[in-house]
Amino acid sequence: MAVPDFQTLMLPLLKLASGGERHTLAEAVEQLAQEFQLSDDDRTQVLGSGQTRLYNRVGWRRPTSRKQASFRPLDRDASN
């Protein structure tokens, strides 16, 4: 399966965020990759920016207020 588009990822991402636990962006990316049964090739597709396509699609919208924050910021040295 190819990496899903933003809209397809949105509902599973919102469900993950609504579970009451906080997750890093990397944790969310991994959980969604498993849910969509993405292959290693799908997980490692790199965009011109150097980000993986999946990380880009999951992380494109970050909550802007603390009240909305369900995902902790990722450490700068963490891998995509």
Side-chain angles (χ1 to χ4, degrees):
M1 169 179 214
V3 175
D5 61 20
F6 298 110
Q7 293 82 8
T8 304
L9 289 168
M10 185 55 64
L11 183 58
L13 181 61
L14 290 173
K15 286 180 179 178
L16 177 63
S18 70
E21 292 183 35
R22 292 177 58 105
H23 303 277
T24 64
L25 191 53
E27 290 168 344
V29 167
E30 179 58 29
Q31 182 145 343
L32 292 171
Q34 290 176 13
E35 183 171 334
F36 285 98
Q37 300 177 351
L38 298 180
S39 69
D40 288 340
D41 287 342
D42 290 332
R43 292 174 186 227
T44 58
Q45 288 178 8
V46 178
L47 300 173
S49 66
Q51 261 187 341
T52 64
R53 182 177 308 277
L54 179 59
Y55 185 91
N56 177 271
R57 290 192 178 168
V58 174
W60 69 274
R61 184 198 178 288
R62 291 187 179 176
T64 55
S65 78
R66 289 184 187 193
K67 290 181 181 179
Q68 294 173 332
S70 297
F71 298 96
R72 295 187 306 266
L74 207 98
D75 292 337
R76 291 230 181 251
D77 62 345
S79 63
N80 293 352

